[in-house]
Amino acid sequence: MHKSKPSPSRRRLGAAAACLALLAVCQAPAVAGAYPEKPIRLIVAFSPGGPTDVLARLVAKRLGEGLGQQVVVENKPGAGGNIASEVVANAPADGYTLLYNSSSIAISPALFGNDKLDPGKIFTPVASVANVPLVLIVNPGVRADSAAAFVELLKKQPGKLNMGSSGNGTIDHLTSVLFARQTGTDFAHVPYKGNAAALPDLLSGRIDFMLSGSLNAFLPYVREGKVKALAVTTAKRVSALPDVPTLAETVAPGFDSGTWQGIVGPAGLPADVTSRLNQAVNDAIKDPALKASLDAQGAEPTAGTPARYGDLIRSEYRRWSAIIKETGATSN
């Protein structure tokens, strides 16, 4: 049977279609590989060697092992953590720039009057890492061996005892506001530039007490009897001080405050990347070596979904913003 030849116009159309198909193949973007394909930057808002930095580096190591890529810690201190927050918030939402955050992300925006850094809007929550309790510690010269006795002492001498903090508007300062409000007490606030600067004055008796989160720093002094630990501020007791009760079970029912740490990324982080990171963080927290390191620093390992961590961040931002507004606390 005789087959008719294609017309010249049909041949030209076929050739054009073939060329277009080839061009489309050549110009198509390469299919992305599985995340992550390169090292990840983990931004820390504090200086090297501090308690947050130490935990961040432990997590980064385990996280890198789980993801099969190096996780590089970069320190960006300043402005109560706001500098680091801005770096991450303005980074591409691709999972290669993350923030190892403390609870400062829920405090510093209001403290510095920068509503643009609302953590519920500028970040994608990835995972919670740890809760770090504050501990009510007093120097041995204070005649109180329990939280109840200490509250009675504060009430008998309103405004007379001195509390040292790591600075105006810090978590220990703001927690002390809640403590005073709930126990009906009053005392003098003495801000320092960090807990390390305040501890020598506590040991010498220049200040009477602290609500400190640097458990790893003062734990040896507690064991040696140079300071007394009367209570922890979190809802549950901590493994490093199992015999020390909570404020909630002694003098302030329902009291729950402390610093917390976790990982967030820029807003708009893809769901698959967020899920991958969340699983890797939760796996890292289960590692016995990492858990032992967290325990040694008084940090309670946590875990959970991105949504659960997002709820915590937003609720803490509302709580501390209100306290800062009520007290007029500033960064100065």
Side-chain angles (χ1 to χ4, degrees):
M1 184 176 179
H2 176 72
K3 293 183 179 179
S4 61
K5 293 183 179 179
S7 67
S9 60
R10 186 171 295 179
R11 287 197 299 270
R12 286 194 294 270
L13 286 174
C19 289
L20 287 173
L22 180 61
L23 184 62
V25 170
C26 293
Q27 290 184 343
V31 177
Y35 171 86
E37 295 183 293
K38 61 182 181 179
I40 297 168
R41 300 166 67 208
L42 186 62
I43 308 299
V44 177
F46 303 97
S47 300
T52 302
D53 176 74
V54 169
L55 287 182
R57 291 178 186 276
L58 289 171
V59 173
K61 184 176 183 296
R62 296 301 180 197
L63 198 56
E65 292 170 355
L67 292 171
Q69 284 286 353
Q70 186 178 14
V71 178
V72 182
V73 172
E74 293 184 19
N75 299 89
K76 302 282 185 183
N82 284 348
I83 291 175
S85 289
E86 289 184 355
V87 168
V88 175
N90 293 323
D94 56 10
Y96 292 102
T97 302
L98 306 171
L99 176 67
Y100 187 90
N101 68 273
S102 73
S103 50
S104 65
I105 66 170
I107 296 173
S108 294
L111 192 64
F112 285 80
N114 192 343
D115 294 337
K116 293 181 180 180
L117 293 180
D118 180 338
K121 296 178 179 178
I122 66 171
F123 295 127
T124 298
V126 171
S128 174
V129 171
N131 288 331
V132 183
L134 305 182
V135 183
L136 172 61
I137 51 174
V138 302
N139 73 57
V142 173
R143 296 183 178 180
D145 294 322
S146 69
F150 182 66
V151 167
E152 286 303 311
L153 184 64
L154 289 173
K155 289 181 176 179
K156 290 177 181 178
Q157 303 179 50
K160 298 296 184 181
L161 273 67
N162 297 318
M163 185 210 75
S165 80
S166 58
N168 282 314
T170 54
I171 186 69
D172 44 340
H173 172 211
L174 297 179
T175 297
S176 77
V177 173
L178 295 179
F179 172 74
R181 178 182 297 175
Q182 194 158 340
T183 58
T185 56
D186 183 34
F187 41 82
H189 173 222
V190 184
Y192 288 79
K193 292 184 177 180
N195 280 315
L199 186 56
D201 282 358
L202 180 70
L203 293 169
S204 66
R206 292 189 184 93
I207 56 175
D208 300 298
F209 73 103
M210 293 176 65
L211 281 162
S212 176
S214 297
L215 181 55
N216 59 322
F218 65 74
L219 191 56
Y221 299 104
V222 172
R223 290 170 174 162
E224 293 169 10
K226 294 181 179 180
V227 295
K228 294 183 287 187
L230 302 184
V232 296
T233 63
T234 43
K236 297 179 180 180
R237 296 191 185 195
V238 298
S239 57
L241 293 169
D243 297 326
V244 176
T246 66
L247 287 175
E249 64 184 292
T250 52
V251 296
F255 198 95
D256 186 9
S257 180
T259 185
W260 37 270
Q261 299 176 10
I263 293 177
V264 296
L269 200 64
D272 58 336
V273 172
T274 302
S275 178
R276 177 84 172 91
L277 286 167
N278 176 264
Q279 186 61 56
V281 173
N282 287 337
D283 288 344
I285 293 171
K286 296 174 185 176
D287 180 83
L290 177 57
K291 189 177 184 305
S293 298
L294 291 171
D295 289 343
Q297 298 193 49
E300 296 291 328
T302 55
T305 65
R308 181 179 175 185
Y309 191 39
D311 289 342
L312 172 67
I313 291 171
R314 288 186 291 272
S315 65
E316 287 284 270
Y317 178 67
R318 290 191 296 269
R319 171 161 77 152
W320 296 125
S321 293
I323 294 294
I324 289 168
K325 184 177 181 179
E326 290 171 17
T327 61
T330 68
S331 58
N332 299 320

